[in-house]
Amino acid sequence: MAKTTKNTPTKAEPKAAAKASVVKKDGKKKKRSRTGKSTKPSFSTYIYRVLKETHPEIGITKKSMGIMNDFVIDMMDKIASEAKTDLAISGKEKTLREWHVNTATKLVLPGELKKHGVNEGTKAIRNFNANRKQKGDK
């Protein structure tokens, strides 16, 4: 029978658990942090809400939700990049304003989507400002 040392896992202790912790010089174990991995934002909840609002009888598969999530992330990235470019062109300003995003939306989205995107964005800003004023009055 082979001897087991402190650092090697036994049959009862899985190998993954041994890899997840690091033994310090004083003998105490410390969990490794998972730095370096960035988490991808998820719009799945919001996509599902919009789907149920527009078509309550229709569902969506996990794979389709992943594709929709990637699409939304890609569009947000394109709009943000275009707005950043517009901000850089404008000069001294360092704050991204409503009209930067509005202009970027007009440049990135085609045809009818452009009109709907601008209208929905304007409506969202209006609602946000109205709610902010209400909270300030209380």
Side-chain angles (χ1 to χ4, degrees), residues 6 18 27 29 69 85 90 96 123 128 131 136:
K6 256 187 177 177
K29 287 187 177 182
N69 192 46
T85 304
S90 65
L96 196 62
K123 188 168 80 172
F128 175 78
N131 287 335

Side-chain angles (χ1 to χ4, degrees), residues 19-36:
K19 288 181 181 179
S21 59
V22 177
V23 179
K24 289 177 144 183
K25 287 183 180 179
D26 59 354
K28 294 182 182 178
K29 287 187 177 182
K30 179 184 174 185
K31 289 256 183 185
R32 285 186 185 169
S33 63
R34 296 180 186 238
T35 56

Side-chain angles (χ1 to χ4, degrees), residues 18-131:
K19 288 181 181 179
S21 59
V22 177
V23 179
K24 289 177 144 183
K25 287 183 180 179
D26 59 354
K28 294 182 182 178
K29 287 187 177 182
K30 179 184 174 185
K31 289 256 183 185
R32 285 186 185 169
S33 63
R34 296 180 186 238
T35 56
K37 285 190 176 181
S38 63
T39 57
K40 195 164 114 177
S42 177
F43 295 95
S44 301
T45 308
Y46 312 107
I47 294 167
Y48 191 76
R49 284 182 194 170
V50 170
L51 175 68
K52 287 303 170 184
E53 213 174 272
T54 54
H55 300 286
E57 68 282 352
I58 296 177
I60 188 166
T61 63
K62 204 175 206 178
K63 190 173 182 179
S64 299
M65 183 61 80
I67 292 167
M68 287 298 296
N69 192 46
D70 289 343
F71 173 74
V72 171
I73 290 169
D74 186 48
M75 291 310 293
M76 293 277 288
D77 188 43
K78 285 180 182 179
I79 291 171
S81 296
E82 191 64 43
K84 182 181 171 191
T85 304
D86 192 33
L87 181 67
I89 290 169
S90 65
K92 301 177 195 176
E93 248 186 304
K94 292 183 180 179
T95 306
L96 196 62
R97 305 228 182 257
E98 177 190 355
W99 66 270
H100 289 110
V101 178
N102 201 345
T103 304
T105 303
K106 288 177 184 176
L107 291 170
V108 171
L109 297 177
E112 195 72 23
L113 280 177
K114 177 187 343 184
K115 294 175 191 171
H116 287 293
V118 170
N119 287 337
E120 290 297 320
T122 304
K123 188 168 80 172
I125 296 291
R126 196 177 323 117
N127 289 340
F128 175 78
N129 288 334
N131 287 335

